[in-house]
Amino acid sequence: MAMVLLLSSFSAQAERLPEFLGKIQPSEIFPTATRYGKLEGKPMVARVYKGDEQLGLVYITSDVVSTRGYSSKPIDTMVALANDGTVAGAKLVAHNEPIVLIGIPQSRVDKFIQNYVGLNFLKDPPKPGVAPADIISGATVTLMVINDSMQRSVKAVAYQYGLGTAQATAAADNAVAASAPAAEPQAQTRPRRAVNMEKQDIQSWDVLLEQKAVAKLHLTVDDVNKLFAQNGKEGSAEHEEKGPGDDTFIDMYVALVSQPSIGKSLLGDAGWENLQRRLKPGQQAVLVAGEGRYSWKGSGYVRGGIFDRIEMIQGETTFRFTDAQHERVLALAAEGAPAFKEVSWFTIPEDVKFDAAEPWRIQLMIQRVLSVNDKAFVTADLDYELPQGYYVDDPKAEPVSIAAPVAMPSENVQTAAQTAGIADAASDSSASNQLWKQVWQAKQGQIIVVGIALAVLLLVFLFQDWITRHEKAYDRFRLCFLTFTLFYIGFYAQAQLSVVNTLTLFSAILTDFHWEFFLMDPLVFILWLFTAATMLLWNRGTFCGWLCPFGALQELSNRIAKKLGVKQITVPHLLHTRLSAIKYVIFFGLLAVSLYDLGLAEHFAEIEPFKTAIILKFVREWWFVLFAVALLGAGLFIERFFCRYLCPLGAAVAIPGRLRIFDWLRRYKMCGNPCQICTHECPVQAIAPEGDIHPNECIQCLHCQVMYHHTARCPQVVATNKKKQKQAAAKAEADAQAAPQEQVVHFVKSAKRIAVEK
């Protein structure tokens, strides 16, 4: 039976059910239950009883399917199935998802899971990939993994243990049998395969495609619209993709580049050698390339480190790639290979049970924005199998069934895609990406808020000479703006710019530039545009001093430290000048590495603590958290320590500072000689003892301009005011002395005028 073949593919991993069975009381997961039975079976379950009456059974989803979450680790959900196959209870018992640990209350995830209670997937199968409740914005991957694990595991366990009515079980058998091709009554076997490492000949792009050593998925606009119409959530079809129906939505290609012939053909000698340096013995790597409106890569990996739009699936093993396994490819080396917008290869995680010589598939998640807080998702599969000659038979290994694994209806998305009319067409037409327009429309509220904030900031800079005359009001405004930057731009909107954006821009300019990739994140794009435009007027200061969430976090925490009496360290000017050069060395080092290998440069860019502190809110591996906390700790004693000496992004945006058109910061001749007040009080020591302001280091906090107008602390202003006061006093005294004489003259003139009139 097909289901038996499916269940035979369960990976040999330690079951998780025994760990949680003692922690969860029977009544917590199964209403009215009083006890568990003994552990049994594969996958492992425990039957549930009310006295001697069997109510059903419980299991852990990760014991049945190995789908991994955003953390690249399994999400453990305990599920209770009644005797008729109905979900009687479900409870999230363990996970490593950062968005759930701190970003989104677990109560919302628990509420999402409770929507499965009462459903019977045998009697009422759901549409593939469609959850019984709306996906929570911000936890897309996590909840899609939970949904996938629930649907697949419920059907597998219910079938394996005979839950449900005889009619439902028979119907499930008939449905699977009807979808399978005619075959012999007994399942046949063949020797298990192994990757042929001896085949190393160089092939052209066309030959690799013809042999199917490179597999292709082609989706048109019509294909995607049909997918959403038939398999998307309610209302998703109304937000259809615009443009001609035969326009290419995406062309996606995959290949096993750890096989020498394929790898050398696609990557070239240098690329192959680089891959070999990354691979450990026996480890495999997969190349993914794409072109068209839709990006298989997306931008989520920049923030969260995971490529959430593609998922590798082999039997019951599923996983997503992370940035630690990612390597970007600038161009393919195979003769006749087209120039793709996105090309990368990924190493298969070592802790994943994956056999590259056996068939596998890569699943593409296609998202559609419905509203600010609502998205719809469908998936399409690209099957991959090494062609003959690229593998060898391994007769010593355990044989595999020719028919296994057969996908259940809930996971057979390729069938759904074919039903929607998706064919392997050969059209290579291209069109501009329309998804970014939907994203901009969905984030209109955030765009308006940030736009207003940028407009206010622009007015502050334009009228700084008047605004900085009001010391207390200006200081309160700056404090409020930094708080807005940290909590709204940073923690909420997660629009933290990174040096990775700069490196990506350089790489795109040198290869194949596409605006669509940069437009996918509206707030990041707007902040970059604003920073670039104002760079010629106010150097790096508009971003570093006002719009960087991590910079705001440093300054706000330093303010608190000062209030608590933490003694500040003043770095000697000569040492400060030497240390400030470090960030430029770091930036140029990252830039040089990115020209050779952007993926490697992205790894080294972790010297920025932005992802740890702002995007993941310190929910990460301990060494990343320790590094970020250490930098913030140094900032308590030396204000903006990271900004001054280590920030490669600050260095990148500071370099064009010498091209500024105007010099807005006003200075007196006596600044620096003899007055040193601004030099000592500049929060980032951007003012030299001689009085010159270093534009590359200035963050435009405008503190020196407050001092420029200060009537009590600036010696020049005090001296000028005293001089004016003396001049006014002398004039008043002279006016007082001249008053009697002027009165006599006025009296005589008046008398003469009266006499003439008479």
Side-chain angles (χ1 to χ4, degrees):
M1 297 172 70
M3 187 59 64
V4 175
L5 296 175
L6 170 66
L7 293 169
S8 68
S9 65
F10 288 138
S11 60
Q13 59 182 10
E15 286 84 356
R16 304 275 283 166
L17 182 60
E19 178 183 346
F20 301 109
L21 210 58
K23 301 177 182 179
I24 308 296
Q25 294 299 316
S27 58
E28 290 183 52
I29 189 71
F30 208 122
T32 73
T34 58
R35 66 183 179 91
Y36 294 119
K38 65 179 182 179
L39 297 169
E40 61 179 273
K42 185 70 176 179
M44 182 176 286
V45 301
R47 300 187 186 273
V48 185
Y49 297 89
K50 179 182 179 181
D52 294 331
E53 178 189 359
Q54 178 181 321
L55 302 179
L57 53 81
V58 296
Y59 68 91
I60 301 294
T61 54
S62 55
D63 288 345
V64 183
V65 295
S66 60
T67 306
R68 297 177 175 230
Y70 204 91
S71 61
S72 192
K73 296 180 181 179
I75 300 174
D76 298 316
T77 305
M78 180 179 279
V79 180
L81 289 181
N83 292 328
D84 64 352
T86 300
V87 179
K91 183 179 182 66
L92 180 65
V93 292
H95 66 87
N96 294 277
E97 301 296 275
I99 193 65
V100 180
L101 289 171
I102 191 168
I104 290 177
Q106 182 163 326
S107 59
R108 297 186 64 187
V109 180
D110 293 337
K111 185 177 180 181
F112 173 84
I113 293 176
Q114 287 305 305
N115 287 281
Y116 291 88
V117 177
L119 299 182
N120 190 311
F121 295 148
L122 296 176
K123 296 178 180 178
D124 188 16
K127 291 182 178 180
V130 177
D134 289 341
I135 298 292
I136 301 172
S137 179
T140 301
V141 174
T142 300
L143 298 187
M144 288 189 69
V145 167
I146 292 175
N147 176 62
D148 176 73
S149 300
M150 289 284 292
Q151 293 189 16
R152 293 166 61 198
S153 66
V154 164
K155 288 193 174 184
V157 172
Y159 193 100
Q160 174 72 0
Y161 289 93
L163 302 182
T165 62
Q167 292 84 356
T169 304
D173 282 340
N174 294 336
V176 174
S179 63
E184 295 294 330
Q186 299 295 324
Q188 300 179 3
T189 62
R190 60 162 172 79
R192 186 171 292 277
R193 299 169 180 172
V195 177
N196 183 6
M197 302 302 289
E198 301 299 323
K199 180 176 175 57
Q200 302 194 15
D201 52 323
I202 306 300
Q203 306 283 356
S204 69
W205 174 257
D206 291 336
V207 170
L208 291 172
L209 277 178
E210 183 180 354
Q211 295 176 340
K212 295 189 177 179
V214 174
K216 176 183 178 181
L217 171 69
H218 174 73
L219 297 178
T220 65
V221 169
D222 277 347
D223 294 334
V224 173
N225 287 335
K226 290 177 182 177
L227 266 178
F228 276 102
Q230 297 192 11
N231 301 303
K233 65 188 297 185
E234 184 178 354
S236 61
E238 300 173 4
H239 297 74
E240 65 177 14
E241 190 75 19
K242 305 299 181 183
D246 59 352
D247 273 2
T248 298
F249 181 76
I250 187 171
D251 280 332
M252 189 171 74
Y253 301 80
V254 298
L256 185 74
V257 287
S258 50
Q259 197 287 324
S261 177
I262 300 173
K264 290 182 178 180
S265 299
L266 294 176
L267 303 178
D269 292 337
W272 172 256
E273 292 176 3
N274 178 46
L275 174 63
Q276 294 308 298
R277 287 192 293 268
R278 287 280 302 275
L279 292 179
K280 296 181 180 180
Q283 193 176 21
Q284 305 294 333
V286 172
L287 180 138
V288 185
E291 188 63 71
R293 296 187 178 192
Y294 192 70
S295 166
W296 63 262
K297 185 180 274 191
S299 59
Y301 74 98
V302 177
R303 296 177 173 181
I306 190 168
F307 292 80
D308 56 1
R309 294 188 178 183
I310 54 174
E311 183 176 13
M312 292 285 290
I313 302 175
Q314 187 177 56
E316 291 302 307
T317 298
T318 67
F319 59 92
R320 287 179 171 84
F321 295 114
T322 69
D323 55 1
Q325 298 135 13
H326 169 246
E327 191 87 9
R328 189 168 184 267
V329 179
L330 297 181
L332 295 178
E335 179 185 355
F340 290 106
K341 180 170 61 175
E342 298 170 337
V343 189
S344 298
W345 55 256
F346 300 89
T347 56
I348 303 298
E350 294 181 89
D351 60 342
V352 169
K353 185 179 180 181
F354 179 81
D355 190 343
E358 296 297 330
W360 48 270
R361 58 193 168 99
I362 190 166
Q363 188 174 89
L364 174 68
M365 179 183 72
I366 305 170
Q367 68 179 28
R368 177 170 287 180
V369 180
L370 306 183
S371 65
V372 176
N373 297 315
D374 194 15
K375 296 179 182 178
F377 305 90
V378 293
T379 55
D381 286 5
L382 174 52
D383 295 323
Y384 187 86
E385 182 176 1
L386 277 175
Q388 288 186 355
Y390 291 90
Y391 65 84
V392 293
D393 292 338
D394 185 3
K396 297 181 181 180
E398 181 182 354
V400 295
S401 171
I402 295 176
V406 176
M408 296 177 61
S410 64
E411 68 170 342
N412 193 355
V413 185
Q414 183 65 29
T415 301
Q418 292 170 350
T419 303
I422 298 176
D424 186 16
S427 171
D428 289 320
S429 61
S430 60
S432 61
N433 196 334
Q434 299 297 315
L435 180 61
W436 69 268
K437 296 181 181 179
Q438 300 178 28
V439 176
W440 279 64
Q441 185 177 5
K443 293 191 175 183
Q444 281 183 350
Q446 295 182 16
I447 293 171
I448 291 173
V449 172
V450 173
I452 292 173
L454 296 182
V456 171
L457 183 59
L458 188 62
L459 291 175
V460 169
F461 280 120
L462 291 174
F463 298 100
Q464 60 182 260
D465 192 52
W466 176 81
I467 293 174
T468 53
R469 296 175 187 270
H470 308 277
E471 179 184 9
K472 291 185 178 180
Y474 171 74
D475 185 66
R476 290 169 183 167
F477 167 79
R478 178 165 172 79
L479 180 62
C480 292
F481 199 96
L482 290 176
T483 304
F484 166 81
T485 295
L486 174 61
F487 288 97
Y488 189 86
I489 296 180
F491 291 148
Y492 175 71
Q494 296 193 332
Q496 169 75 64
L497 303 189
S498 167
V499 72
V500 174
N501 304 124
T502 306
L503 301 179
T504 304
L505 178 61
F506 271 102
S507 178
I509 292 175
L510 294 176
T511 54
D512 190 12
F513 183 84
H514 290 271
W515 277 108
E516 294 83 359
F517 180 80
F518 299 95
L519 290 168
M520 288 302 296
D521 196 324
L523 298 187
V524 170
F525 180 81
I526 290 171
L527 290 176
W528 265 121
L529 191 63
F530 183 84
T531 300
T534 57
M535 202 180 295
L536 299 177
L537 297 174
W538 299 291
N539 314 323
R540 64 179 249 188
T542 51
F543 172 72
C544 295
W546 295 84
L547 297 172
C548 176
F550 189 76
L553 177 59
Q554 290 181 93
E555 184 166 332
L556 293 173
S557 60
N558 181 265
R559 284 194 178 217
I560 296 174
K562 289 178 179 177
K563 290 287 185 182
L564 297 176
V566 176
K567 187 177 180 180
Q568 300 297 294
I569 299 175
T570 301
V571 182
H573 178 70
L574 183 60
L575 177 60
H576 165 75
T577 303
R578 299 294 184 269
L579 292 176
S580 62
I582 296 176
K583 60 179 175 287
Y584 297 97
V585 175
I586 294 173
F587 169 68
F588 283 114
L590 291 173
L591 181 60
V593 173
S594 72
L595 297 177
Y596 170 72
D597 186 341
L598 182 60
L600 185 61
E602 291 172 352
H603 296 320
F604 289 146
E606 286 286 0
I607 194 172
E608 290 180 332
F610 303 161
K611 181 188 292 186
T612 301
I614 304 300
I615 305 303
L616 298 181
K617 304 179 182 72
F618 296 100
V619 182
R620 209 178 182 191
E621 291 85 352
W622 66 267
W623 51 88
F624 287 112
V625 176
L626 180 63
F627 178 65
V629 171
L631 292 176
L632 288 173
L636 300 179
F637 302 92
I638 302 175
E639 186 172 346
R640 287 183 175 256
F641 173 83
F642 179 76
C643 297
R644 294 196 203 185
Y645 306 127
L646 299 177
C647 183
L649 177 60
V653 297
I655 292 173
R658 296 292 181 181
L659 301 177
R660 70 188 189 281
I661 301 173
F662 303 108
D663 192 356
W664 293 77
L665 301 180
R666 301 176 63 182
R667 309 292 285 156
Y668 295 113
K669 290 183 179 180
M670 68 180 301
C671 291
N673 185 21
C675 181
Q676 295 288 314
I677 292 180
C678 291
T679 300
H680 294 317
E681 295 198 4
C682 177
V684 292
Q685 294 182 245
I687 303 177
E690 297 80 15
D692 297 330
I693 298 177
H694 295 169
N696 287 17
E697 307 303 318
C698 177
I699 62 170
Q700 294 289 329
C701 66
L702 303 182
H703 180 72
C704 61
Q705 299 306 287
V706 173
M707 298 304 301
Y708 182 90
H709 298 290
H710 206 291
T711 57
R713 301 192 61 198
C714 178
Q716 178 67 42
V717 176
V718 172
T720 300
N721 288 343
K722 286 183 178 179
K723 184 177 180 180
K724 290 180 178 179
Q725 290 173 0
K726 288 181 180 180
Q727 291 175 346
K731 185 176 182 300
E733 183 179 354
D735 291 343
Q737 292 176 356
Q741 183 178 356
E742 291 178 355
Q743 291 175 359
V744 172
V745 172
H746 178 70
F747 177 76
V748 172
K749 289 182 177 179
S750 298
K752 288 182 177 180
R753 186 174 62 254
I754 293 172
V756 171
E757 291 176 354
K758 290 182 177 181

